[in-house]
Amino acid sequence: MISIKNVRKIYSSRQGNVHAVDNVNVEINEGEIFGVIGYSGAGKSTLIRMLNGLELPTEGSVTVAGRVVSKIRGGELRKARQEISMIFQHFNLLWSRTVRENISFPLEIAGVTRKERTKRVDELIKLVGLEGREDSYPSQLSGGQKQRVGIARALANNPKVLLCDEATSALDPQTTDSILELLVDINKRLGLTIVLITHEMHVIRKICHRVAVMENGRIVEMGSVLEVFKNPQQPITKRFVQQVTEPEETKETVEQLIEQYHSGEIVQLTFVGGSAEQPVITNLIRHFDVTVNILQGKISQTQSGSYGTLFIHLDGSKDEIAKAIEFIGTQQVGVEVIRNG
Amino acid sequence: MDKPYFQDIDWPGMWAATTETLYMTAISVVATFILGLLLGLLLFLTGKDNLWENKPVNTIISAFVNIFRSIPFIILIVLLIPLTTILVGSMIGENAALPALIVGAAPFYARMVEIGLREIDKGVIEAAKSMGASTSTIIFKVLLPESMPALVSGITVTAIALVGYTAMAGVIGAGGLGNLAYLEGYQRSQNDVTLIATIIILIIVFIIQFLGDIITSKIDKR
């Protein structure tokens, strides 16, 4: 559906050239939810803007839904943009238009008749759950409602691709979740390909099938979300994964525990997919002569399975502990000793 | 003290002068609105990072606007005498004031239009682009509606300035309340004539401001 080949974007400034996007290659499949994560300035914003021609690559080509977006101009590009919609961090609604008129805007651009427009707008309002707010102005809506208008507007012309530019970054966590659920629902119902950029791993975890991690204009890591969670390679990826798997205070807690327990070992277990459902701890206690103390744990759901971490304290004879750790390793559970007792 | 108040006032003459002032103001406001809007749009669109970014054109329009905005109005009238004679055929009468009024006010309004357009959130223009909007769609369905409160309050201020300009134009023989206040009031020492002419001008200004405020608050949905 989307193919980004050898794309570079170089901004020249007085201080020299800046490589905003550096040799990026990505293939995104039809019906996929693809996430790009990175800190601000990583080039993700430039990258997503190349998908609808708001930015042009300095080198390389961008093909979306069979059209070479990086080459076409004028009317052809405008036509293509009707099939590649975008939603924005700050919603970018027209304050001078009501909800209904805002959603109608892309239909006016596409030359849809008034009667058809009314019908389509009604459908969209229902789809995004804004019944009763049709005649409100954006200033009378909450952030979440504004983004719903943004989504309805983006879907008006039945696009093939939806680009989300930090679409939930201006929303509170609860509203973020409801907007993400709406996006998943749309993806399933309409088979829409969604590309989103974000700096929140939570968003990636919750809805993406695949993820690319960007740093300094390059994609440093890419793969299925579960795979990346299970086995992050780059330091930056590890940091992002920690955002969702480890509660903020984990480090402090572990340090405190080390002080507290003078014998035994503190072990971090990592569960991915099916292994998260196995009774590892029960087996551990049954087969080995060790005491298990559960310290802290968390399980996160992703689109392709669950992922979790568990901190436990093992106590007993050195021999038994070593055997126990070895046993956990054979259970498709990641194991890492935090400290030797 | 012996004579009764307002005995010098020729009321039909005062009414005629009022309609002349209203006529000059109305025509020049309409023309200024159209011309200023065009110039303001051009200034905005040819500006940096905009739809028709074009440095030379922008510099030329900007220079033109700045020059005509800074010439004192009374001097502008004199400078425009040749042009006015060609256009109107005379230097006397309300129509003779129009070219100077419009040339004086349009650049002033153009800057206000430009400021109003610059206040539009860039993201909204980008959103329209991302939907496949053409430049004309962006102008008529995004830029103008989204800046309408600024455009209306701008033309209100300009219209009030124009009422003042018509009074000045009156001095050089364009008719209207300014002319009346100067010739009948000041030169013949009939202070009551000057007073009444001033009050009428004040009333006109208040009405314009009142209408402008009502319309602005009605269309502003932010």
Side-chain angles (χ1 to χ4, degrees):
Chain A
M1 179 54 79
I2 298 172
S3 158
I4 301 170
K5 284 207 178 85
N6 305 320
V7 162
R8 265 178 222 276
K9 175 79 185 183
I10 300 166
Y11 291 109
S12 349
S13 70
R14 245 168 268 164
Q15 286 83 34
N17 290 340
V18 180
H19 288 69
V21 173
D22 200 357
N23 200 18
V24 165
N25 285 285
V26 184
E27 297 284 329
I28 299 169
N29 308 317
E30 191 170 347
E32 189 172 28
I33 304 183
F34 189 88
V36 178
I37 190 165
Y39 293 110
S40 50
K44 55 195 194 313
S45 201
T46 311
L47 185 68
I48 203 169
R49 276 174 169 65
M50 287 188 206
L51 298 180
N52 61 0
L54 287 175
E55 297 270 3
L56 292 175
T58 316
E59 274 173 47
S61 73
V62 178
T63 313
V64 180
R67 283 195 176 94
V68 187
V69 179
S70 50
K71 286 273 177 318
I72 54 176
R73 298 275 187 284
E76 209 185 331
L77 178 59
R78 291 201 292 273
K79 199 92 203 146
R81 280 173 175 169
Q82 292 175 13
E83 294 190 340
I84 314 165
S85 312
M86 196 168 195
I87 58 174
F88 304 85
Q89 178 174 6
H90 298 295
F91 326 121
N92 296 350
L93 304 177
L94 292 134
W95 61 257
S96 58
R97 288 174 169 238
T98 62
V99 167
R100 176 177 285 286
E101 290 162 347
N102 260 295
I103 301 173
S104 179
F105 187 37
L107 297 166
E108 291 168 28
I109 292 170
V112 176
T113 61
R114 180 178 289 272
K115 215 177 124 197
E116 287 284 309
R117 285 206 303 263
T118 316
K119 203 174 131 229
R120 181 81 184 123
V121 171
D122 284 338
E123 284 169 20
L124 289 160
I125 284 175
K126 221 170 272 154
L127 179 71
V128 299
L130 278 175
E131 293 100 329
R133 303 311 310 255
E134 293 90 336
D135 298 313
S136 307
Y137 284 90
S139 61
Q140 300 165 311
L141 301 177
S142 68
Q145 288 171 328
K146 282 183 200 166
Q147 196 56 291
R148 281 170 193 271
V149 178
I151 293 171
R153 180 175 74 172
L155 296 176
N157 284 320
N158 294 309
K160 295 195 171 116
V161 176
L162 178 65
L163 309 175
C164 309
D165 180 5
E166 298 273 6
T168 57
S169 301
L171 303 173
D172 61 64
Q174 230 170 354
T175 317
T176 295
D177 283 352
S178 77
I179 293 293
L180 293 178
E181 274 157 30
L182 177 63
L183 289 176
V184 173
D185 181 49
I186 289 163
N187 165 262
K188 288 199 178 124
R189 245 200 285 179
L190 310 174
L192 194 66
T193 309
I194 298 178
V195 180
L196 63 88
I197 62 169
T198 182
H199 60 265
E200 297 169 311
M201 200 58 181
H202 166 76
V203 172
I204 301 280
R205 191 211 88 208
K206 193 121 199 227
I207 73 167
C208 291
H209 301 129
R210 280 200 303 151
V211 60
V213 182
M214 268 188 103
E215 192 176 26
N216 298 326
R218 288 169 208 262
I219 291 186
V220 293
E221 194 161 349
M222 182 158 64
S224 86
V225 170
L226 204 56
E227 203 54 48
V228 169
F229 265 76
K230 185 164 68 178
N231 209 355
Q233 301 297 314
Q234 302 293 329
I236 183 176
T237 316
K238 286 181 184 155
R239 276 213 300 274
F240 278 124
V241 170
Q242 276 170 8
Q243 268 184 18
V244 280
T245 52
E246 285 178 25
E248 291 262 311
E249 59 293 3
T250 298
K251 222 174 175 176
E252 288 169 37
T253 318
V254 169
E255 272 165 18
Q256 229 173 11
L257 290 168
I258 289 172
E259 305 260 309
Q260 223 172 322
Y261 295 95
H262 296 288
S263 62
E265 310 216 33
I266 294 170
V267 179
Q268 179 185 357
L269 309 184
T270 314
F271 302 85
V272 175
S275 69
E277 280 118 53
Q278 283 175 31
V280 178
I281 301 293
T282 312
N283 290 338
L284 199 64
I285 306 169
R286 277 195 192 143
H287 300 306
F288 302 92
D289 184 20
V290 289
T291 335
V292 177
N293 189 12
I294 293 174
L295 306 174
Q296 187 169 51
K298 185 175 181 178
I299 289 188
S300 313
Q301 295 297 326
T302 74
Q303 283 296 304
S304 37
S306 45
Y307 171 93
T309 49
L310 182 65
F311 287 87
I312 57 174
H313 176 247
L314 292 179
D315 211 349
S317 73
K318 267 210 159 94
D319 227 29
E320 278 295 295
I321 293 176
K323 273 197 254 170
I325 291 171
E326 199 184 335
F327 165 78
I328 301 168
T330 64
Q331 302 291 303
Q332 292 168 312
V333 174
V335 56
E336 191 185 336
V337 177
I338 303 284
R339 180 204 66 140
N340 282 319
Chain B
M1 269 302 156
D2 297 325
K3 53 184 189 179
Y5 289 125
F6 305 139
Q7 66 150 22
D8 303 326
I9 292 167
D10 160 23
W11 289 104
M14 187 65 79
W15 177 243
T18 307
T19 52
E20 279 163 15
T21 292
L22 288 175
Y23 170 81
M24 284 189 286
T25 309
I27 302 278
S28 58
V29 165
V30 171
T32 298
F33 181 71
I34 296 167
L35 203 65
L37 204 57
L38 283 173
L39 278 174
L41 268 171
L42 272 176
L43 268 176
F44 176 74
L45 291 171
T46 58
K48 199 171 168 339
D49 294 328
N50 232 306
L51 293 163
W52 294 342
E53 181 171 349
N54 188 326
K55 190 121 198 257
V57 174
N58 189 265
T59 311
I60 292 168
I61 301 174
S62 187
F64 172 83
V65 163
N66 284 344
I67 289 167
F68 281 93
R69 215 159 50 115
S70 27
I71 301 175
F73 184 67
I74 199 87
I75 295 169
L76 188 68
I77 299 174
V78 180
L79 285 177
L80 285 179
I81 286 176
L83 178 75
T84 308
T85 328
I86 294 167
L87 285 177
V88 187
S90 154
M91 261 321 289
I92 307 293
E94 310 95 88
N95 284 331
L98 292 178
L101 288 172
I102 296 162
V103 172
F108 177 71
Y109 185 52
R111 279 291 180 206
M112 290 202 220
V113 171
E114 191 203 3
I115 293 167
L117 293 171
R118 274 212 214 135
E119 269 167 18
I120 299 173
D121 184 359
K122 284 264 176 299
V124 175
I125 300 168
E126 190 180 56
K129 269 199 232 168
S130 80
M131 288 178 235
S134 60
T135 304
S136 67
T137 307
I138 291 177
I139 291 173
F140 290 106
K141 298 205 166 187
V142 179
L143 296 184
L144 296 183
E146 291 284 298
S147 63
M148 202 44 91
L151 300 186
V152 171
S153 61
I155 199 66
T156 308
V157 173
T158 311
I160 288 169
L162 275 168
V163 173
Y165 284 178
T166 63
M168 256 192 267
V171 178
I172 59 130
L177 290 166
N179 191 36
L180 189 80
Y182 182 68
L183 291 182
E184 307 283 321
Y186 173 69
Q187 291 199 335
R188 293 167 67 179
S189 299
Q190 297 175 344
N191 287 338
D192 48 355
V193 175
T194 310
L195 180 69
I196 294 293
T198 308
I199 289 174
I200 296 175
I201 287 178
L202 277 177
I203 293 171
I204 294 173
V205 167
F206 283 147
I207 291 174
I208 292 172
Q209 187 64 57
F210 180 69
L211 286 177
D213 287 348
I214 286 189
I215 297 171
T216 307
S217 71
K218 189 137 198 150
I219 56 178
D220 197 346
K221 309 286 187 192
R222 276 173 291 193

Coordinates of all heavy atoms in Angstrom, one line a residue, chain B residues 166-202:
Chain B
T166 N -12.6 62.4 5.0 CA -13.6 63.2 4.2 C -13.7 64.6 4.7 O -13.8 65.6 4.0 CB -15.0 62.6 4.2 OG1 -15.5 62.6 5.6 CG2 -15.1 61.2 3.7
A167 N -13.6 64.7 6.1 CA -13.6 66.1 6.6 C -12.4 66.9 6.2 O -12.5 68.1 5.8 CB -13.6 66.0 8.2
M168 N -11.3 66.2 6.1 CA -10.1 66.9 5.6 C -10.2 67.3 4.1 O -9.9 68.4 3.7 CB -8.9 66.0 5.7 CG -8.0 66.4 6.9 SD -6.4 65.5 6.8 CE -6.8 64.1 7.8
A169 N -10.8 66.3 3.3 CA -11.0 66.5 1.9 C -11.9 67.7 1.7 O -11.8 68.4 0.7 CB -11.5 65.3 1.2
G170 N -12.8 67.9 2.7 CA -13.8 69.0 2.6 C -13.1 70.3 2.5 O -13.5 71.2 1.8
V171 N -12.0 70.4 3.2 CA -11.2 71.7 3.3 C -10.8 72.1 1.9 O -10.8 73.3 1.6 CB -10.0 71.6 4.2 CG1 -9.2 72.9 4.3 CG2 -10.5 71.2 5.6
I172 N -10.4 71.2 1.0 CA -10.0 71.6 -0.3 C -11.1 71.6 -1.3 O -10.9 71.6 -2.5 CB -8.8 70.7 -0.8 CG1 -9.3 69.2 -0.9 CG2 -7.6 70.8 0.0 CD1 -9.0 68.6 -2.2
G173 N -12.4 71.6 -0.8 CA -13.5 71.8 -1.7 C -14.3 70.6 -2.1 O -15.0 70.6 -3.1
A174 N -14.2 69.5 -1.3 CA -14.9 68.3 -1.7 C -16.3 68.3 -1.2 O -17.0 67.3 -1.5 CB -14.1 67.1 -1.2
G175 N -16.7 69.3 -0.4 CA -18.0 69.2 0.1 C -18.1 68.4 1.4 O -17.0 68.0 1.9
G176 N -19.3 68.2 1.9 CA -19.4 67.4 3.2 C -19.3 68.3 4.4 O -19.2 69.5 4.4
L177 N -19.4 67.6 5.5 CA -19.5 68.3 6.8 C -18.2 69.0 7.2 O -18.2 70.1 7.8 CB -19.8 67.3 7.9 CG -21.2 66.7 7.9 CD1 -21.3 65.5 8.8 CD2 -22.2 67.8 8.4
G178 N -17.0 68.5 6.7 CA -15.8 69.1 7.0 C -15.7 70.5 6.3 O -15.3 71.5 6.9
N179 N -16.1 70.5 5.0 CA -16.2 71.7 4.2 C -17.1 72.7 4.9 O -16.7 73.9 5.0 CB -16.7 71.3 2.9 CG -16.5 72.4 1.8 OD1 -15.5 73.1 1.8 ND2 -17.5 72.5 0.9
L180 N -18.2 72.3 5.3 CA -19.2 73.2 6.0 C -18.7 73.8 7.2 O -18.7 75.0 7.5 CB -20.5 72.4 6.3 CG -21.7 73.2 6.7 CD1 -22.4 73.8 5.5 CD2 -22.7 72.3 7.5
A181 N -18.1 72.9 8.1 CA -17.5 73.4 9.3 C -16.4 74.4 9.1 O -16.3 75.4 9.9 CB -17.0 72.2 10.1
Y182 N -15.6 74.2 8.1 CA -14.5 75.1 7.8 C -15.0 76.4 7.2 O -14.7 77.5 7.8 CB -13.5 74.4 6.9 CG -12.3 75.2 6.5 CD1 -11.4 75.5 7.5 CD2 -12.1 75.7 5.3 CE1 -10.3 76.3 7.3 CE2 -11.0 76.5 5.0 CZ -10.0 76.8 6.0 OH -8.9 77.5 5.7
L183 N -15.8 76.3 6.2 CA -16.2 77.6 5.5 C -17.2 78.3 6.3 O -17.1 79.5 6.5 CB -16.8 77.2 4.1 CG -15.8 76.7 3.0 CD1 -16.5 76.4 1.7 CD2 -14.6 77.7 2.9
E184 N -18.3 77.7 6.6 CA -19.4 78.4 7.3 C -19.1 78.6 8.8 O -19.5 79.6 9.3 CB -20.7 77.5 7.2 CG -21.1 77.1 5.8 CD -21.7 78.3 5.0 OE1 -22.5 79.0 5.6 OE2 -21.4 78.4 3.8
G185 N -18.5 77.6 9.4 CA -18.3 77.6 10.8 C -17.1 78.4 11.2 O -17.2 79.5 11.8
Y186 N -15.9 78.0 10.7 CA -14.7 78.6 11.2 C -14.5 80.0 10.5 O -14.3 81.0 11.3 CB -13.5 77.7 10.9 CG -12.2 78.3 11.1 CD1 -11.8 78.5 12.5 CD2 -11.3 78.6 10.1 CE1 -10.5 79.1 12.7 CE2 -10.1 79.2 10.4 CZ -9.7 79.5 11.7 OH -8.5 80.0 11.9
Q187 N -14.5 80.0 9.2 CA -14.2 81.3 8.5 C -15.2 82.4 8.8 O -14.8 83.6 8.8 CB -14.0 81.0 7.0 CG -12.8 80.2 6.8 CD -12.3 80.3 5.4 OE1 -13.0 80.6 4.4 NE2 -11.0 80.0 5.2
R188 N -16.4 82.0 9.1 CA -17.4 83.1 9.3 C -17.7 83.2 10.8 O -18.7 83.8 11.2 CB -18.7 82.8 8.5 CG -18.4 83.0 7.0 CD -19.5 82.5 6.2 NE -20.7 83.2 6.3 CZ -21.8 83.0 5.6 NH1 -21.8 82.0 4.7 NH2 -22.9 83.7 5.8
S189 N -16.9 82.5 11.6 CA -17.0 82.6 13.1 C -18.4 82.2 13.6 O -19.0 82.7 14.5 CB -16.7 84.0 13.6 OG -15.4 84.3 13.3
Q190 N -19.0 81.2 12.9 CA -20.3 80.7 13.5 C -20.0 79.3 14.2 O -20.1 78.3 13.6 CB -21.3 80.4 12.3 CG -21.6 81.7 11.6 CD -22.4 81.5 10.3 OE1 -22.6 80.3 9.8 NE2 -23.1 82.5 9.8
N191 N -19.7 79.5 15.5 CA -19.2 78.3 16.2 C -20.3 77.2 16.3 O -20.0 76.1 16.4 CB -18.8 78.7 17.6 CG -17.5 79.4 17.6 OD1 -16.7 79.3 16.6 ND2 -17.2 80.2 18.5
D192 N -21.6 77.6 16.3 CA -22.6 76.6 16.4 C -22.7 75.7 15.2 O -23.0 74.5 15.3 CB -24.0 77.3 16.7 CG -24.3 78.5 15.7 OD1 -23.4 78.8 15.0 OD2 -25.4 79.0 15.8
V193 N -22.3 76.3 14.0 CA -22.3 75.4 12.8 C -21.2 74.4 13.0 O -21.4 73.2 12.8 CB -22.0 76.3 11.6 CG1 -21.8 75.4 10.4 CG2 -23.1 77.3 11.4
T194 N -20.0 74.8 13.5 CA -18.9 73.9 13.7 C -19.3 72.8 14.7 O -19.1 71.6 14.5 CB -17.7 74.6 14.2 OG1 -17.4 75.7 13.4 CG2 -16.5 73.7 14.2
L195 N -20.0 73.2 15.8 CA -20.4 72.3 16.8 C -21.3 71.2 16.3 O -21.1 70.0 16.5 CB -21.1 73.1 18.0 CG -21.6 72.2 19.1 CD1 -20.4 71.6 19.9 CD2 -22.5 73.0 20.0
I196 N -22.4 71.7 15.5 CA -23.3 70.7 15.0 C -22.7 69.8 14.0 O -22.9 68.5 14.1 CB -24.5 71.5 14.4 CG1 -25.3 72.2 15.4 CG2 -25.5 70.5 13.6 CD1 -26.1 71.4 16.4
A197 N -21.8 70.3 13.1 CA -21.2 69.4 12.2 C -20.3 68.4 12.9 O -20.3 67.2 12.5 CB -20.3 70.3 11.2
T198 N -19.6 68.8 14.0 CA -18.8 67.9 14.7 C -19.7 66.8 15.4 O -19.3 65.6 15.3 CB -18.0 68.6 15.8 OG1 -17.4 69.7 15.2 CG2 -17.0 67.7 16.5
I199 N -20.8 67.2 15.9 CA -21.7 66.3 16.6 C -22.2 65.2 15.6 O -22.2 64.0 15.8 CB -22.9 67.0 17.3 CG1 -22.4 67.7 18.5 CG2 -24.0 66.0 17.7 CD1 -23.4 68.6 19.2
I200 N -22.6 65.7 14.4 CA -23.0 64.8 13.4 C -21.9 63.8 13.0 O -22.2 62.6 12.9 CB -23.6 65.5 12.1 CG1 -24.8 66.3 12.5 CG2 -23.9 64.5 11.0 CD1 -25.3 67.2 11.4
I201 N -20.7 64.3 12.8 CA -19.6 63.4 12.5 C -19.4 62.4 13.6 O -19.2 61.2 13.4 CB -18.3 64.2 12.3 CG1 -18.4 64.9 10.9 CG2 -17.1 63.2 12.3 CD1 -17.2 65.8 10.6
L202 N -19.5 62.8 14.9 CA -19.4 61.9 16.0 C -20.4 60.8 15.9 O -20.2 59.6 16.2 CB -19.5 62.7 17.3 CG -18.3 63.3 17.8 CD1 -18.6 64.1 19.1 CD2 -17.2 62.3 18.1

